Amino acid sequence: MSAATAHSFNKILNQPSKVASKSRASGEIDDGTKKLRRMILVEGIPSAADPTLRPRIWKILLRVTDLPAQTFLDYVARGPCEVREKIRNDTFRTLATDRGFKERVREDMLVRLLDAFVWRNHDKQENQQLGFTYVQGMNVLAAPFLYTMPSELEAFFCFSKFIEESCPLYVQPTLEGVHRGLKLLDRCLKIVDPELFAHLRSKNLSAEIYAFPSVLTLCACTPPLNQVLQLWDFLLAFGVHLNVLCVIAQLLLMRDEVMKSPSPMRLLRTFPDLEALPVIGIAVTLVRDLPPELYDELVKHPFEIQNS
């Protein structure tokens, strides 16, 4: 079955038409990308049958076509960036309990990628609205790219594109996008499950308290990694904003225990192991329950600056 699915994915990827995800400006998505997205949703990427699929598909979804090696090498050659110490404080802890990750991604690879990212944005600062430096949580967001991509070069350009275009507000020094996501999580939960929302509120629990790591890292903080990657296939295909609904889906999967518990925070401190398929299935159905204007806010919260 997975071999047949891999064949179908390869057929789409090998089509001569340029498969490229929509540009936010045009809003148009070409047929190849539509097919890819549909297959990701219905079948999932069979990376066990063909390990080359996920990196190729992620690059298409992120619209990463240029990989100028010299540019990356120039950043690396500059050595430690000004926040190297801050980076080193986090990198050794990245997915520390995941043996497969530790075997494939060494700490120096993470440090190099994050250093290079800071240098890249150090150079671009003058001509962009949002500046970027290293903020806590970036190490975990970089981890899936280093694990998935065949080279540090590809990981670097995919990570950079992802941060700068998909969730720039998540990595501002104030973590503005993350805090907006947490507020939206409370508002969405109140609509989709008022009883659960009221129970958590009665214990003084808001999303800010129990869901911060899951929103900040797009669930990459919840093992196992193979399930995180499957969830990210979905988020890269349909939008980072859906992570908020994926966190609600995890809550709904543990709803009975949470409702029975006199102190739910004990349960919520560490979410149960991630199961991507049920989480994605629930998240997709939740979209239909939200008023259009709330969903619109959800879509924009990772990247659109609010006019105060």
Side-chain angles (χ1 to χ4, degrees), residues 22-28 63:
K22 67 172 179 179
S23 72
R24 207 175 279 141
S26 72
E28 284 306 302
R63 306 193 303 282

Side-chain angles (χ1 to χ4, degrees), residues 74-223:
D74 289 347
Y75 294 141
V76 171
R78 289 196 206 175
C81 68
E82 69 264 26
V83 286
R84 161 63 76 85
E85 214 165 301
K86 210 172 157 189
I87 291 172
R88 288 299 303 270
N89 281 341
D90 292 337
T91 47
F92 74 94
R93 286 195 289 256
T94 309
L95 308 188
T97 57
D98 190 297
R99 188 183 295 160
F101 176 76
K102 286 287 177 206
E103 281 168 8
R104 194 181 300 188
V105 180
R106 298 185 315 276
E107 188 189 355
D108 62 290
M109 291 160 73
L110 258 176
V111 172
R112 224 179 351 260
L113 182 147
L114 294 166
D115 263 337
F117 179 75
V118 174
W119 282 125
R120 167 188 169 96
N121 284 285
H122 188 273
D123 291 355
K124 289 167 75 174
Q125 215 115 59
E126 294 75 53
N127 49 26
Q128 58 184 11
Q129 195 175 11
L130 288 170
F132 296 93
T133 181
Y134 176 78
V135 297
Q136 203 175 1
M138 257 189 196
N139 55 315
V140 184
L141 292 174
F145 291 106
L146 280 167
Y147 184 82
T148 298
M149 291 296 151
S151 67
E152 278 181 58
L153 177 71
E154 288 158 280
F156 170 74
F157 283 106
C158 288
F159 170 75
S160 300
K161 193 87 181 265
F162 174 69
I163 292 293
E164 291 160 12
E165 290 191 5
S166 301
C167 55
L169 297 184
Y170 271 51
V171 295
Q172 293 308 301
T174 59
L175 304 180
E176 183 195 332
V178 178
H179 293 297
R180 271 164 67 183
L182 290 160
K183 287 192 181 81
L184 284 161
L185 197 157
D186 277 330
R187 287 168 60 196
C188 294
L189 183 62
K190 190 176 182 178
I191 288 167
V192 302
D193 195 334
E195 196 187 353
L196 178 58
F197 175 79
H199 178 64
L200 291 171
R201 269 298 151 98
S202 73
K203 309 288 183 190
N204 292 322
L205 289 178
S206 65
E208 220 24 274
I209 295 168
Y210 64 80
F212 184 82
S214 298
V215 173
L216 173 72
T217 65
L218 306 178
C219 293
C221 61
T222 307

Side-chain angles (χ1 to χ4, degrees), residues 13 15 103 181 193 224 239 260 269 291:
L13 293 173
Q15 277 169 359
E103 281 168 8
D193 195 334
K260 280 188 213 130
R269 198 161 281 130

